[in-house]
Amino acid sequence: MTTDHQDTDTTILDTDVLVVGAGPAGLMLATELRLGGAEVVVVDQRPGPTTESRASTLHARTMEILDSRGLLDELGTPPCEPRGHFGGVPLDLTLPSSHPGQWKVAQTRTEELLQRRAAELGADLRRRHQLLSLTAEDGVEAEAIGPYGPVRIRARYLVGCDGEDSTVRRLVRAPFPGRDAARELLRADVSGVEVADRRFQRLEHGLAIAATREGVTRVMVHEFGRPAAERGGAEPDFAEVTDVWKRVTGEDISQGTPLWVNAFGDADRQLAHYRHGRVLFAGDAAHRQMPSGGQALNLGVQDAFNLGWKLAAVVRGSAGEDLLDTYHSERHTVGRQVLANIRTQVELLLGGPEVEPARALLTELVALDGVRQHLAGMISGLGIRYDVEDPEIHSDEHPLLGRRLPDAWLEPAEGGARRRTTELLRTGRGLLLSLDGDGAPALRATAAPWSDRVAFVADRPAAGGPLPPGQTLLVRPDGYVAWAGSDPAGLARALIRWFGTLAADD
């Protein structure tokens, strides 16, 4: 367990995992680590959840993740928009999911929700703590300064979730290849102005976006050909936003009251490795991108959801460190794909008249359902498929391998109330789901030694749902199908691969 004591004037903390950063990725990671049985300390410089509106979109896969941990009841039913965009070209995001479309949730609300759950599970959250140094050899030792003085934290692992200007990344000198911003969007939340809503309106001199909710208007503007400013970490002032807005739209919004002003550019960087020994990275600390289509926050939360159960298993001793290497291989690939689609969107959004032919062609293509589904799956996270090619484990290809388990109703084989597959994941354990009428006794016997890590369920899929009968699926704690079939030997190898070897007396 986490221990806390004094050594002269320094507070000493001992824990399994130190998470630096209490944004959505860091808080999601803390909840998953605690659910998996790891002790965790989270440090963050801020006094509390962000008070800025920042990211306001949760995509379908992130909503499914929150549902799989029982968090949506508290969130309620936020506004949902089925239509998103790709580079400003309208795109229907509706795909088979329990929560299709994009859901409008302020980042403040998301952080409050995840912080409350992390605290309920026993995470030790330390606000107003600034990381100063760290060393990582057999373990990790970090120095921070808190509101009551210096703090030394000793942990087995550290995860940097401290944003695009990550202190952890700088301290470990992690290679962060890519390019800095060449263009930018200016953004402001303003009260006391009346402007027409605009959805990616391309005018002669630039791009203008505006939307009013609850008396606050968010404006975003880019002037074609205007390079990103050298700001040195400072935000633009409201006068700069009003000047550019007037040049692009001809409208004067200077009489409004700015509530928040910032700029975000088209920087494009990704860590060469998400794991550096005992130090790992998630969220914007691992990748920097323009937040086009609301993908950045969702990408970070999904990083954390992939890493949490794996790191907890390693800390508990039920899995070897090689499991952590799958975090890099899986999420680095997804991150690379997301950054590539964002680069394309940036060209379509911020490019001048020269991109109009490409925009016209894309508008035609998204009318084809196959194209629409591909792009919508990419943006929503529903199209992710992790590489599971291993002939020793998988003798036959299966359409669900590497994909998320679809939300589906199940009819208990022994009677009782129906239940959803999503509900079966709420314990944070793996799942062996038999959809075979005989309950797959040979497979159940094979999985029995892993019963502390993998629950067995024998239900029948409801008629007309996305799960056909007669299958047995091994599902990871993050909801992705790791094995499917009927071969006990293949199942045993998959259990070892994802849930670790057994102790000698098991």
Side-chain angles (χ1 to χ4, degrees), residues 4 13 29 44 73 90 105 128 150 179 185 203 209 214 218 242 274 310 342 360 374 392 412 454 461 486 495 503:
D4 182 344
L13 299 174
L29 179 61
D44 192 283
D73 287 345
V105 181
R128 298 186 177 91
R179 61 176 177 79
L185 267 171
L203 301 166
I209 303 164
E214 299 179 355
R218 169 168 290 186
T242 61
Y274 282 14
K310 296 175 180 178
I342 288 177
H374 178 76
E392 291 189 358
V454 179
S486 58
L495 287 162

Side-chain angles (χ1 to χ4, degrees), residues 38-60:
E39 296 295 332
V40 58
V41 170
V42 184
V43 298
D44 192 283
Q45 296 185 61
R46 299 174 302 164
T50 183
T51 57
E52 301 168 343
S53 53
R54 292 192 175 271
S56 60
T57 298
L58 297 182
H59 283 297

Side-chain angles (χ1 to χ4, degrees), residues 436-465:
D436 194 326
D438 67 359
L443 297 177
R444 182 172 188 172
T446 298
W450 283 269
S451 61
D452 61 327
R453 308 164 212 177
V454 179
F456 180 81
V457 173
D459 285 354
R460 296 186 179 89

